[in-house]
Amino acid sequence: MASFNKVILIGHLTADPELKQTTSGVPVTSFSIGVNRRFTRQGEQPQTDFINIVCWRQTAEFVARYFTKGKPILICGSLQTRSWVDKDGNKRYTTEVVADEATFVERKSDSTDGSRDARTIPQQGGIPAYGTPKVDDSFEELSADDELPF
C-alpha cells in the first residue's frame, strides 16, 4: 500500500533561524512557526499552533539568510516523528516538519529592502528557482450573474 506524507504550512517565524552544521558539515536549521487555526468559536480569541520545522542543506542556508523573527513563510515538507533518550534516561519524542521547500509569502512591495521576492529553494537536487514567478493576466473577474465559461 502506498503512503502519502505532505505538509503545507504558512506561518510566522517565532525567532530568528540559526544556521548550524552537522559534524560532517551539512547545513541545518531548526525553528518554529506560529500558524493560526482556521476557525475560532464566537467570543473566543484565535488559537495559534506552534510547529517545529527542520531545514537541511540549501533550504537551511536560504531560510537563515532571508528570514527573521515575525516574517511570514510558506513551508512544504513531510511530517516526521523521532525519539531519543535524554540525559536523565527518559525517552523523549518530538514531531516536526522536515522542509523540502521554503518560500516567501509577502509581496515584493511589502519587503523592507525590495530584494525579497517570491523565491523557492528545493531541499534536495534540482536548480534553485530564483526570481518572480510569471503571472497570467488572462483571467477576468465574473459577476455572480455571469455564466461560467465552460
Side-chain angles (χ1 to χ4, degrees):
M1 178 194 232
S3 60
F4 186 75
N5 183 352
K6 183 75 170 183
V7 176
I8 301 171
L9 300 167
I10 294 178
H12 290 82
L13 276 81
T14 61
D16 289 345
E18 182 181 336
L19 186 64
K20 297 180 180 180
Q21 289 192 352
T22 64
T23 54
S24 59
V26 178
V28 61
T29 187
S30 298
F31 54 93
S32 67
I33 61 173
V35 178
N36 293 332
R37 292 190 182 172
R38 290 182 64 185
F39 301 102
T40 302
R41 291 187 178 145
Q42 190 170 0
E44 289 186 3
Q45 292 289 342
Q47 299 280 316
T48 301
D49 292 304
F50 296 95
I51 300 172
N52 295 324
I53 311 292
V54 177
C55 298
W56 294 91
R57 298 174 181 79
Q58 297 97 337
T59 306
E61 292 170 339
F62 175 74
V63 169
R65 181 174 180 184
Y66 291 104
F67 290 90
T68 56
K69 179 180 179 178
K71 292 289 184 184
I73 190 169
L74 183 142
I75 297 290
C76 295
S78 57
L79 199 58
Q80 177 178 291
T81 303
R82 60 185 172 90
S83 63
W84 70 97
V85 177
D86 69 12
K87 63 181 178 180
D88 298 324
N90 299 313
K91 191 161 189 175
R92 300 288 186 174
Y93 298 89
T94 190
T95 301
E96 57 203 2
V97 174
V98 178
D100 296 320
E101 299 176 39
T103 306
F104 289 105
V105 292
E106 62 186 4
R107 295 182 308 243
K108 189 172 182 178
S109 61
D110 290 344
S111 65
T112 55
D113 62 6
S115 66
R116 297 180 178 185
D117 50 13
R119 289 180 260 201
T120 303
I121 301 290
Q123 170 69 25
Q124 298 174 357
I127 299 171
Y130 289 93
T132 305
K134 183 179 177 185
V135 177
D136 185 355
D137 294 330
S138 64
F139 289 103
E140 63 181 89
E141 204 169 310
L142 299 175
S143 72
D145 297 334
D146 290 341
E147 290 186 32
L148 293 176
F150 49 86

